[in-house]
Amino acid sequence: MTTISPKHLYDILLDDFGPQHWWPIDKQYHQDQKSDPRFEIMIGAILTQNTAWTNVEKALHNLKKQKALTIHAIMHTEEESLKIMIQPSGFFNQKAGRLKLFSAYIHKEYQDDLQKFFSRNTAEIRTELRSLKGIGPETADSILLYAGNHPVFVVDSYTKRICQRLPFEVINDSYDDIQHFFDHELQCIVPKKELVSTYQEFHALLVELAKRYCWKKNPSCNRCGLTNLCEKLL
Ligand code: SF4
C-alpha cells in the first residue's frame, strides 16, 4: 500500500487551505487590560475540552466583556459568576473550578509570570501541567505549543480520525504513538527554527480538513482534495 508522509500531507493542506494562523487571540483586549495574551490561550485550551470552538468563543467573549480574562480577575471572580460567563462552553461547573485552580496555581507558583512558567524544559512543563486537575495530554500540549511556543505535536480527536483514514505508517491510535509518529517524521525534515510554526499550522490544518470533509462517519470524499491519497479509496 502507498503511504503518505506527514510533511507531504502538510504541504498539500497548506496549499489547499492556506495558513490558518491558529491560535486566535484578541491582542487589543490584552493591550487595553495590560494582560498577557498567552493566558487567553491557556484558558481557551481548558474551555475547549469536549465542546466546539464556536462555544468557546462565546465564553471568551463573556469573560472579556466582564474584563475577567486575566489571572487576577479569574482568581477574584465569584465561582458562580464565572460559571455564568463560561456557560456556553458546556460543563461549566467543572470548568469554572478548573479555571480558578489553574489561575491560583500560576499566581502562587509563578507570581502571574507566564514567561517564567514557559522558560523551562518542555518535558518539565508538560509533567507539571499534567499534574493539575483537569489538564489532560491534549490540553497540556495545546498550552505548550500555542501559548508557550514549545515544539509539541497536538493530537486531538480530529487528528485520530484522519490517521485512521489516511495511509500513514502509524498503526496504533493512542495519543502517545500518534504524537511520537508525527514528532519523529517532522523533526527529521523540518528545520529546527521552523518546527514550532509548522506544528502550530499543521494542527490547525488537520482540524480544518476534519471539519470540512473528514469528521463525519461518511466523509465528503468527493469534495476533498486528498482522494487520491486516501486509504479509504485505495
Ligand atoms: S478523501 Fe475522504 S476519507 Fe480521505 S481525507 Fe478526504 S474526506 Fe477524509
Side-chain angles (χ1 to χ4, degrees):
M1 185 205 295
T2 316
T3 57
I4 178 173
S5 75
K7 182 64 168 63
H8 186 192
L9 175 63
Y10 174 77
D11 291 338
I12 295 172
L13 293 177
L14 191 59
D15 210 35
D16 277 3
F17 301 155
Q20 301 297 299
H21 305 297
W22 197 257
W23 191 290
I25 44 169
D26 185 344
K27 287 186 186 151
Q28 190 60 51
Y29 173 86
H30 295 288
Q31 260 174 28
D32 295 346
Q33 294 302 309
K34 300 190 176 19
S35 54
D36 192 324
R38 290 175 289 190
F39 188 63
E40 178 172 349
I41 299 174
M42 297 163 103
I43 292 305
I46 294 172
L47 291 177
T48 201
Q49 293 168 348
N50 303 308
T51 196
W53 182 252
T54 46
N55 298 327
V56 178
E57 285 177 321
K58 290 175 196 156
L60 289 173
H61 173 77
N62 292 343
L63 288 168
K64 284 178 207 164
K65 219 164 101 183
Q66 300 299 325
K67 299 190 174 23
L69 193 51
T70 64
I71 296 172
H72 179 86
I74 287 190
M75 278 177 64
H76 294 93
T77 299
E78 288 290 330
E79 194 157 328
E80 289 309 309
S81 309
L82 193 57
K83 284 178 192 173
I84 295 167
M85 288 182 230
I86 66 166
Q87 192 165 10
S89 72
F91 302 98
F92 52 89
N93 288 321
Q94 206 179 46
K95 287 179 182 175
R98 287 177 184 173
L99 294 188
K100 286 189 84 66
L101 279 175
F102 182 71
S103 304
Y105 181 82
I106 298 288
H107 176 71
K108 181 166 178 269
E109 301 297 327
Y110 297 93
Q111 300 74 52
D112 302 358
D113 184 349
L114 295 181
Q115 192 55 37
K116 191 172 162 190
F117 179 75
F118 284 119
S119 298
R120 294 174 297 141
N121 169 287
T122 305
E124 188 187 329
I125 306 171
R126 191 174 198 261
T127 305
E128 187 174 330
L129 283 167
R130 290 294 315 278
S131 73
L132 303 177
K133 196 170 179 194
I135 309 256
E138 184 188 331
T139 307
D141 290 342
S142 298
I143 289 173
L144 273 165
L145 178 62
Y146 289 103
N149 286 320
H150 283 260
V152 177
F153 194 84
V154 178
V155 178
D156 61 1
S157 45
Y158 293 135
T159 316
K160 287 187 180 177
R161 175 65 54 90
I162 290 162
C163 283
Q164 285 161 0
R165 288 184 167 153
L166 281 163
F168 285 129
E169 273 173 346
V170 59
I171 318 147
N172 202 309
D173 74 348
S174 78
Y175 191 100
D176 290 346
D177 283 358
I178 293 175
Q179 185 178 59
H180 178 75
F181 169 73
F182 279 94
D183 273 340
H184 178 74
E185 295 274 323
L186 292 169
Q187 285 176 13
C188 288
I189 44 174
V190 177
K192 209 171 172 184
K193 62 178 181 352
E194 291 171 23
L195 213 47
V196 168
S197 58
T198 303
Y199 278 20
Q200 289 176 338
E201 199 54 69
F202 202 176
H203 175 66
L205 288 165
L206 290 171
V207 171
E208 191 60 23
L209 170 65
K211 287 203 306 207
R212 283 197 202 194
Y213 311 124
C214 202
W215 177 243
K216 288 179 290 185
K217 196 172 166 200
N218 295 313
S220 308
C221 302
N222 54 342
R223 293 168 50 219
C224 174
L226 293 164
T227 43
N228 292 339
L229 294 164
C230 190
E231 184 175 45
K232 186 173 182 293
L233 303 177
L234 292 175

